[in-house]
């Protein structure tokens, strides 16, 4: 099988890595990819949001499967164009991708499917925004209705800050909306569900860390780290979420004539009233994917091709490593506000060939090669360091030992990824 992966981040590097380990895969193309994927696959330049360009690239390489990584190409209709061209694709069409592209639409679908989620108001005016904030009270949860690269949500005790974010969302255009939700208590969890339009196959649970600083302080980011599995999660949680959330949503999307084929990412709060959906994404999450795929032992290409073909019901049960995986994101100076780019990156050769290499791998995200061919930072989240261990304590030790070897002037990372879970301090 020849597979084309669309995207350029650490999530796509993780997908490429997992696909190259699949014995059914002969070749992988990454478009546009990054310096990390270039070591494992053939990088090809492409505008990921240009459906015609992606179709042309897939035809030129005669690929058997296209896997779309980021959300923007899905919302732009890349999957639709590929299917219309007769090319097998893993990823939802533009209409189904509205589950992530519009928070208001996701709430509408959840209501129709009777999915447990936070109460919410969809606002289109300043007056409605103010009324909604006062209705729910602090902590205020304010969500941009559209795509925001994982940084469109503000959770704050400060009403003025909540109002500012809401007004900024409304200022984005004539049809702009902002969603105000009740605050959900309890620990959070992420579940990726592989869907073929009818059948749902869940992956294993993960937890990510959105805030920039230790202790969940500071502004939201695209994600500063993640770990899997969740040893503290209640028994039967995955089965419960599939039965009460993922399957009803897939059924509802099929009823609407927009079958969902791809990853339904279910972001959960395990509240005192039971699991509640925080949000849906329509693609693999970053950085949870890095940890989850590090533990998946079943061939990834076979799984994704079965989803694209509508044959998940016949797929063998998934196999998982019993080990724990911890991912720590190394970010550029100034991230998330104004990341510094063009900074030299060192220390990776030792992690590739040194004593940690057996248990650690480094995935590229915001990296590039400069005119001299040297590796430099090119974005906010620069690298994802992924480590496996017999438990979270060992995986954390290995991950942070590897992070300490990385040279990036001004770079920073959280030091508490999976710490409370490793200490047994999280209870659902």
């Amino acid at each position: 099988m020849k597979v084309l992966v669309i995207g350029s981040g650490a999530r796509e590097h993780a997908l490429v890595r997992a696909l190259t380990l699949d014995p059914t895969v002969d070749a992988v193309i990454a478009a546009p990819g990054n310096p990390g994927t270039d070591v494992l696959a053939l990088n090809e330049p492409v505008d990921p949001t240009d459906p015609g360009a992606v179709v042309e690239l897939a035809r030129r390489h005669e690929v058997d499967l296209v896997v779309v990584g980021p959300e923007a190409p899905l919302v732009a209709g890349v999957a639709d164009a590929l299917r219309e061209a007769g090319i097998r694709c893993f990823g939802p069409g533009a209409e189904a991708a509205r589950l992530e592209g519009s928070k208001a639409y996701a709430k509408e679908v959840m209501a129709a499917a009777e999915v447990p989620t936070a109460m919410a108001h969809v606002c289109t005016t300043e007056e409605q925004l103010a009324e909604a904030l006062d209705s729910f009270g602090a902590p205020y949860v304010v969500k941009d209705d559209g795509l925001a690269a994982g940084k469109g949500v503000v959770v704050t005790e400060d009403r003025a800050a909540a109002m500012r974010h809401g007004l900024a969302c409304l200022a984005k255009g004539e049809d702009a909306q902002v969603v105000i939700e009740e605050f959900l208590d309890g620990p959070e969890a992420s579940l990726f569900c592989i869907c073929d339009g009818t059948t749902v196959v869940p992956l294993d649970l993960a937890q990510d860390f959105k805030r920039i600083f230790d202790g969940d302080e500071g502004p939201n980011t695209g994600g500063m780290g993640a770990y899997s599995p969740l040893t503290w999660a209640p028994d039967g949680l995955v089965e419960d979420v599939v039965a009460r959330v993922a399957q009803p949503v897939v059924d509802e999307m099929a009823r609407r004539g927009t079958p969902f084929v791809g990853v339904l990412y279910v972001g959960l709060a395990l509240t005192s009233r039971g699991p509640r959906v925080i949000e849906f994404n329509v693609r693999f999450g970053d950085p949870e994917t890095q940890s989850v795929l590090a533990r998946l032992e079943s061939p990834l290409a076979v799984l994704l091709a079965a989803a694209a073909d509508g044959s998940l019901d016949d797929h063998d049960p998934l196999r998982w490593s019993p080990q724990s995986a911890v991912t720590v994101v190394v970010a550029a100076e100034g991230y998330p506000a104004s990341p510094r780019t063009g900074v030299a990156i060192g220390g990776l050769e030792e992690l590739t060939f040194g004593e940690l290499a057996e248990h650690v791998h480094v995935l590229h995200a915001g990296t590039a090669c400069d005119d001299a061919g040297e590796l430099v930072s090119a974005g906010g989240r620069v690298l994802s360091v992924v480590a496996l261990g017999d438990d979270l304590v060992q995986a954390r030790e290995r991950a942070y030992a590897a992070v300490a070897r990385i040279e990036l002037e001004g770079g920073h990372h959280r030091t508490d990824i999976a710490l409370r879970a490793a200490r047994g301090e999280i209870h659902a």
Side-chain angles (χ1 to χ4, degrees):
M1 195 184 313
K2 186 184 290 185
V3 185
L4 169 61
V5 177
I6 302 299
S8 61
R11 165 186 49 224
E12 287 73 40
H13 192 171
L15 287 166
V16 167
R17 180 178 182 273
L19 289 166
T20 58
L21 295 173
D22 185 333
T24 69
V25 174
D26 303 308
V28 180
I29 299 105
N34 60 43
T37 61
D38 200 31
V39 176
L40 302 172
L42 172 66
N43 279 3
E44 284 276 26
V46 77
D47 177 356
T49 61
D50 183 338
V54 174
V55 168
E56 190 280 328
L57 180 63
R59 280 178 170 158
R60 176 154 48 90
H61 285 281
E62 299 180 327
V63 301
D64 302 293
L65 175 67
V66 179
V67 178
V68 183
E71 61 275 22
L74 296 168
V75 172
V78 165
D80 297 299
L82 287 162
R83 290 193 184 97
E84 288 168 9
I87 299 168
R88 187 163 54 175
C89 177
F90 179 79
E95 186 63 25
R98 289 180 64 204
L99 283 172
E100 179 169 0
S102 170
K103 301 292 190 297
Y105 177 74
K107 286 292 185 184
E108 175 193 322
V109 171
M110 280 189 269
E114 299 183 351
V115 167
T117 186
M119 293 184 293
H121 293 301
V122 179
C123 306
T124 58
T125 67
E126 181 175 352
E127 181 181 13
Q128 291 174 352
L129 170 62
E131 289 177 355
L133 291 174
D134 292 338
S135 172
F136 285 129
Y140 303 100
V141 181
V142 186
K143 295 184 175 182
D144 193 332
D145 180 55
L147 298 179
K151 292 176 282 188
V153 181
V154 164
V155 180
T156 179
E157 297 278 350
D158 186 340
R159 187 183 184 282
M163 195 72 184
R164 281 195 302 273
H165 183 65
L167 291 174
C169 295
L170 292 177
K172 290 187 175 182
E174 188 176 313
D175 299 323
Q177 302 180 116
V178 62
V179 178
I180 311 301
E181 291 188 356
E182 66 169 325
F183 178 76
L184 297 175
D185 63 336
E188 295 184 7
S190 302
L191 181 66
F192 300 149
C193 294
I194 308 299
C195 311
D196 67 1
T198 303
T199 301
V200 174
V201 174
L203 302 188
D204 213 344
L205 290 161
Q207 186 180 62
D208 76 332
F209 296 75
K210 289 294 188 188
R211 302 281 186 150
I212 188 67
F213 300 127
D214 286 5
D216 291 326
E217 298 290 336
N220 268 353
T221 70
M224 294 300 294
Y227 67 93
S228 178
L230 306 189
T231 55
W232 50 266
D235 291 340
L237 176 61
V238 170
E239 293 77 11
D240 186 40
V241 173
V242 169
R244 298 178 62 203
V245 178
Q247 191 65 60
V249 167
V250 168
D251 293 344
E252 173 64 17
M253 296 302 286
R255 188 191 67 78
R256 293 174 178 232
T258 55
F260 190 94
V261 178
V263 180
L264 181 64
Y265 167 116
V266 183
L268 297 162
L270 306 187
T271 76
S272 54
R273 295 175 292 156
R276 295 289 185 272
V277 175
I278 300 171
E279 65 174 351
F280 288 139
N281 291 333
V282 297
R283 38 69 189 183
F284 285 106
D286 183 344
E288 297 101 317
T289 298
Q290 290 87 300
S291 289
V292 172
L293 291 187
R295 297 183 51 246
L296 180 65
E297 294 183 339
S298 297
L300 180 63
V302 174
L303 174 65
L304 303 188
D309 289 339
S311 59
L312 276 179
D313 197 40
D314 298 325
H315 194 277
D316 292 335
L318 299 182
R319 302 190 312 274
W320 294 95
S321 165
Q323 290 190 300
S324 295
V326 171
T327 299
V328 179
V329 171
V330 177
E333 181 180 0
Y335 178 76
S338 300
R340 179 185 171 197
T341 59
V343 180
I345 301 169
L348 299 191
E349 186 171 341
E350 182 183 355
L351 296 180
T352 304
F353 302 106
E355 76 278 5
L356 287 171
E358 182 181 353
H359 308 290
V360 174
H361 58 273
V362 179
L363 302 171
H364 291 234
T367 67
C369 291
D370 63 15
D371 293 339
E374 298 299 318
L375 190 68
V376 297
S377 61
R381 293 186 295 169
V382 181
L383 300 166
S384 285
V385 177
V386 186
L388 287 166
D390 292 337
D391 53 26
L392 284 176
V393 172
Q394 187 178 58
R396 273 180 44 83
E397 289 173 352
R398 288 169 172 170
Y400 282 107
V403 168
R405 311 283 178 91
I406 293 173
E407 301 163 9
L408 176 68
E409 184 179 334
H412 59 102
H413 60 275
R414 283 184 59 158
T415 65
D416 62 348
I417 303 300
L419 179 59
R420 292 187 61 226
R423 289 175 172 172
E425 296 175 355
I426 300 180
H427 305 283

